[in-house]
Amino acid sequence: DRELTRNTTAPRKGSGPSRPRRPDTKPPRISPSPPRRKEKRRTPPPPPKPKVKPKVEMHNFSFELERCHRSGKNVICDILIKSTKHNKKLAIRPGAEVFDETAKTYSARVQVISGDVHDSIDYLWLSCKPRTPLKISVSVKIPSWQVKMIAILELHCKDNILGPAFNVQFHDISLS
């Protein structure tokens, strides 16, 4: 049996004559690709937290501040109101108070947007039902655009005709 050894100086079949390889020369240099970086898995940012609408529950009524926005020099706040138990009457004074972050007081006007309402001299009487929200709007003239937040929005209410008077307050309302 013959042992075949490869001679570096012997020509390869079909390749024609070849040059002998010198032992001190290095093979042609191939430029290496840049080192691979370990890619960090980017976790997506958490979804934004849903804005929680401020809500106040008092005397079996629910008051939910839907939104506040500027309209020229006025700030308008929409509030949803409903009874939490059964059909009830709610009286709201047509005037409300608003305090900005510097404690300056503004007089606001309450207007009923939707719902059954009866006007009297001192109050707006609303017929509230458990599953049917009524909508009121509180409008206040705040001429300075430097006011960016309402510190307190206060409604003056009364539970039924002979019921107790109470105040509903929403705090730290952003106007931006």
Side-chain angles (χ1 to χ4, degrees), residues 70-74 101 142-149 175:
R70 281 194 178 272
S71 177
K73 292 182 179 184
N74 291 323
E101 64 266 15
I142 302 178
S144 174
W145 284 88
Q146 292 175 343
V147 175
K148 302 289 185 203
M149 184 189 334
L175 298 179

Side-chain angles (χ1 to χ4, degrees), residues 50-107:
K51 284 190 173 182
V52 177
K53 294 181 180 177
K55 191 174 186 178
V56 177
E57 291 193 6
M58 296 180 82
H59 295 273
N60 297 320
F61 292 102
S62 171
F63 301 83
E64 184 176 332
L65 182 64
E66 193 174 47
R67 70 180 185 141
C68 278
H69 64 281
R70 281 194 178 272
S71 177
K73 292 182 179 184
N74 291 323
V75 173
I76 300 166
C77 297
D78 296 324
I79 300 171
L80 299 177
I81 303 170
K82 63 183 175 182
S83 171
T84 57
K85 294 206 175 190
H86 50 277
N87 295 352
K88 291 182 74 171
K89 293 274 189 193
L90 173 69
I92 299 178
R93 287 206 182 264
E97 290 179 300
V98 172
F99 301 87
D100 68 14
E101 64 266 15
T102 65
K104 184 174 179 182
T105 306
Y106 301 89
S107 293

Side-chain angles (χ1 to χ4, degrees), residues 147-168:
V147 175
K148 302 289 185 203
M149 184 189 334
I150 292 175
I152 299 172
L153 183 148
E154 184 174 70
L155 300 173
H156 306 287
C157 303
K158 189 173 180 181
D159 183 1
N160 276 326
I161 295 170
L162 300 173
F166 61 96
N167 294 329
V168 175

